[in-house]
Amino acid sequence: MISPLFVQDALDGLRAADIPVAPLLARAGIDADLSAAVTADQFGALWLAMADAMQDEFFGLAARPMRPGSFALMGHAVLHAGTLEQALHRALRFLRVVLDAPHGHLLVTGGQAQVVLSDPDGPRSAFAYRTFWLILHGMACWLVGRRIPLQRVDFACAPPGDRIEYRVFFGAPVRFGQPHSLLAFDAGYLKLPIHRSEQALKQFLRGAPANLLVRYRHDAGLSARVRDRLRGRPATDWPGFDALAADLRLSPATLRRRLRAEGQSFAAIRDELRFAEAQRLLRDTAMTVAELAQELGFSEPSAFHRAFLKWSGQSPGRFRRAAGSIARNMPVDQPVQPGQPGQRQPQPDE
């Protein structure tokens, strides 16, 4: 669900351009009073209606309009990149040509990939930078066929009134008033291959921009069957790789090859599910770290602590404190969104 505050931020561009708001809200099936959260599909419909009305897919938030059709052209520009790193370089060059500013560059430091924005006319609104990250990160997740967990999101602007909602949306530490706007994730993801076809791009674009708002839903396929097998039992009872292959009536080599073709691995799927469950347990229970580690199948608490720190960029204790703060400050009618799943990088034998 999308916060009504996020919808209000989007409508500011229409109001600045003296474009009536009510007809576009009605076209998207959104109540004019904006008293409740809206679905991703509703906000996606509003996004398309606004882009059409303003002739700008970036809602007047950049130095130049992002003319309708630009996002689709960016998809074609990055589709045949060999790796995510190459795709991001292409996407950032494309967005600089289209928007002029803000524009970004990719920096790798200390095992962390950072997309750092330059903005000579900034700082802009938090919503402007959030829209940039939504476009870039959503495309990146789709290209590699998995969610890319974020470790940190910085904003060069002052904090908006709904700063808590920003932390919930990104599922990562968010800081405002920073020297640069940047988005950071594990640099290991940069080496992931791109496995997408022209037909797949057409299907992706048909679902955009609603599918960007959920930061990629996993495609159906063998990886979905693997997830179903693991979700159906406690983490302590999860089968090993060879046993899982036998359960799926595949050889280990075939399972490994087919998962790789979908941009996945057994280790990545396993840790993605562990991370999602760890977030739930940290938010909703009073279990200790030792109890959580045992529940999730870790050999010792320190192993769980290291894994959670790698997945999220913060310790389990810090995550629990932040989640408690978010829950206390959320409006009653606005459910807390789950954190963004993450995973470690595939190992050679998985």
Side-chain angles (χ1 to χ4, degrees), residues 12-237:
D12 285 344
L14 289 173
R15 297 184 179 111
D18 292 324
I19 297 174
V21 168
L24 301 187
L25 289 173
R27 192 188 309 177
I30 299 174
D31 291 337
D33 62 4
L34 295 175
S35 59
V38 303
T39 67
D41 286 338
Q42 286 175 315
F43 189 84
L46 177 63
W47 181 312
L48 294 175
M50 290 175 53
D52 181 60
M54 300 181 71
Q55 287 296 288
D56 184 357
E57 292 181 338
F58 211 76
F59 313 138
L61 299 170
R64 294 193 301 196
M66 185 174 178
R67 298 300 184 192
S70 296
F71 180 75
L73 285 176
M74 187 176 80
H76 287 284
V78 302
L79 183 62
H80 299 298
T83 65
L84 179 61
E85 184 172 14
Q86 294 172 343
L88 286 174
H89 281 302
R90 292 184 187 181
L92 290 169
R93 287 199 300 271
F94 182 92
L95 289 171
R96 180 164 191 177
V97 169
V98 172
L99 301 177
D100 191 18
H103 61 266
H105 67 277
L106 181 63
L107 173 69
V108 180
T109 176
Q112 187 178 74
Q114 298 180 357
V115 178
V116 183
L117 297 188
S118 298
D119 196 349
D121 301 325
R124 301 176 194 272
S125 67
F127 181 74
Y129 297 124
R130 176 172 174 162
T131 302
F132 191 102
W133 299 136
L134 187 64
I135 291 171
L136 185 70
H137 185 237
M139 177 67 78
C141 291
W142 175 77
L143 284 170
V144 299
R146 67 177 68 174
R147 297 188 190 210
I148 301 171
L150 301 178
Q151 295 180 341
R152 171 178 148 210
V153 186
D154 284 359
F155 288 81
C157 58
D162 53 339
R163 68 170 72 186
I164 292 174
E165 200 273 337
Y166 273 66
R167 292 203 303 268
V168 176
F169 182 83
F170 286 107
V174 174
R175 305 186 303 177
F176 294 94
Q178 299 303 305
H180 299 280
S181 293
L182 68 83
L183 177 147
F185 57 92
D186 191 318
Y189 288 90
L190 294 174
K191 304 306 179 186
L192 289 177
I194 306 301
H195 292 292
R196 293 297 186 180
S197 65
E198 295 283 349
Q199 183 60 38
L201 177 62
K202 290 179 182 178
Q203 294 175 354
F204 174 68
L205 293 174
R206 278 198 291 268
N211 52 10
L212 299 179
L213 294 163
V214 294
R215 297 180 300 282
Y216 178 71
R217 287 173 177 163
H218 292 293
D219 296 335
L222 183 60
S223 57
R225 292 172 61 194
V226 172
R227 286 185 184 86
D228 288 342
R229 291 293 199 282
L230 298 185
R231 285 195 188 104
R233 61 187 75 182
T236 51
D237 293 337

